[in-house]
Amino acid sequence: MVAASEIREHMEVRAADGGHIGTVDHMEGESRIKLTKSDSKDGQHHLIPLDWVDHVDAHVHLNKDVEEVERQWSTMN
């Protein structure tokens, strides 16, 4: 499992199929990534569980494709 400390603000988040998911706003606790609303199609913050992260390099890479992520993420204002 990826450590929350590896994830930094402003990192790009990419889906398993290479699609752009968003940009990290910050870690929400130790188990969720909060994405910026300014980089969101619907202008909302979205939360992604840390469990979905496959690996981190210059980007945060998820183990789900774009459709699956957008269907399952949590949304907040």
Side-chain angles (χ1 to χ4, degrees):
M1 184 173 172
V2 173
S5 61
E6 293 181 64
I7 298 171
R8 305 275 181 231
E9 291 180 13
H10 309 297
M11 292 180 92
E12 180 186 5
V13 180
R14 294 183 179 172
D17 56 8
H20 177 79
I21 294 296
T23 303
V24 174
D25 188 336
H26 63 270
M27 286 298 300
E28 187 85 359
E30 289 294 313
S31 63
R32 298 187 303 173
I33 301 167
K34 185 175 184 180
L35 302 178
T36 62
K37 64 181 179 180
S38 62
D39 190 25
S40 175
K41 296 175 198 171
D42 61 5
Q44 303 274 338
H45 284 288
H46 296 282
L47 297 169
I48 295 175
L50 192 58
D51 292 350
W52 294 3
V53 178
D54 181 68
H55 66 281
V56 176
D57 50 26
H59 311 286
V60 178
H61 299 269
L62 304 180
N63 57 19
K64 297 179 181 284
D65 63 30
V66 172
E67 282 186 24
E68 198 172 0
V69 170
E70 291 179 350
R71 193 171 52 245
Q72 297 179 8
W73 62 13
S74 301
T75 301
M76 62 189 298
N77 293 333

